[in-house]
Amino acid sequence: MKNIEFTKEQKMHIVYKIKHYFNAELGEEIGQFDAEFLLEFFGKEIGPYFYNHGLQDAQGAMDSQMDTLKEVLYTMEEPIA
């Protein structure tokens, strides 16, 4: 699986969120390097689970839309005498 590339701004925002979470929820301060390391770790080790779940959600949405399209096409059929 290809690694997700974030813009500089996105990465800064995510790292800020990680640092804030550790401080607010765990009462721990972590540095920039540690937060970036965690981002890379989670992206590599856990990211595929989220990616696959997103694909499954997209497949379900597409299947639902295809069912609707099939119904529309069925109603468009001309009767054959």
Side-chain angles (χ1 to χ4, degrees):
M1 182 174 139
K2 181 182 169 199
N3 285 339
I4 297 173
E5 298 290 329
F6 295 110
T7 66
K8 183 179 178 181
E9 292 79 20
Q10 289 171 325
K11 187 173 182 179
M12 286 174 41
H13 184 72
I14 296 168
V15 166
Y16 167 80
K17 300 279 266 178
I18 291 170
K19 290 172 69 175
H20 182 266
Y21 176 83
F22 266 74
N23 190 16
E25 298 297 324
L26 305 173
E28 296 287 332
E29 299 250 349
I30 64 170
Q32 185 78 15
F33 177 78
D34 290 336
E36 289 178 12
F37 178 78
L38 279 173
L39 173 59
E40 296 297 323
F41 171 78
F42 286 129
K44 181 179 177 187
E45 300 297 328
I46 298 169
Y49 291 99
F50 286 98
Y51 178 83
N52 290 343
H53 195 285
L55 286 178
Q56 292 166 0
D57 287 349
Q59 179 71 41
M62 190 174 71
D63 288 346
S64 175
Q65 292 298 316
M66 289 302 294
D67 289 343
T68 301
L69 179 60
K70 288 176 188 176
E71 289 175 25
V72 169
L73 292 174
Y74 179 75
T75 63
M76 294 173 62
E77 284 185 0
E78 291 289 329
I80 299 175

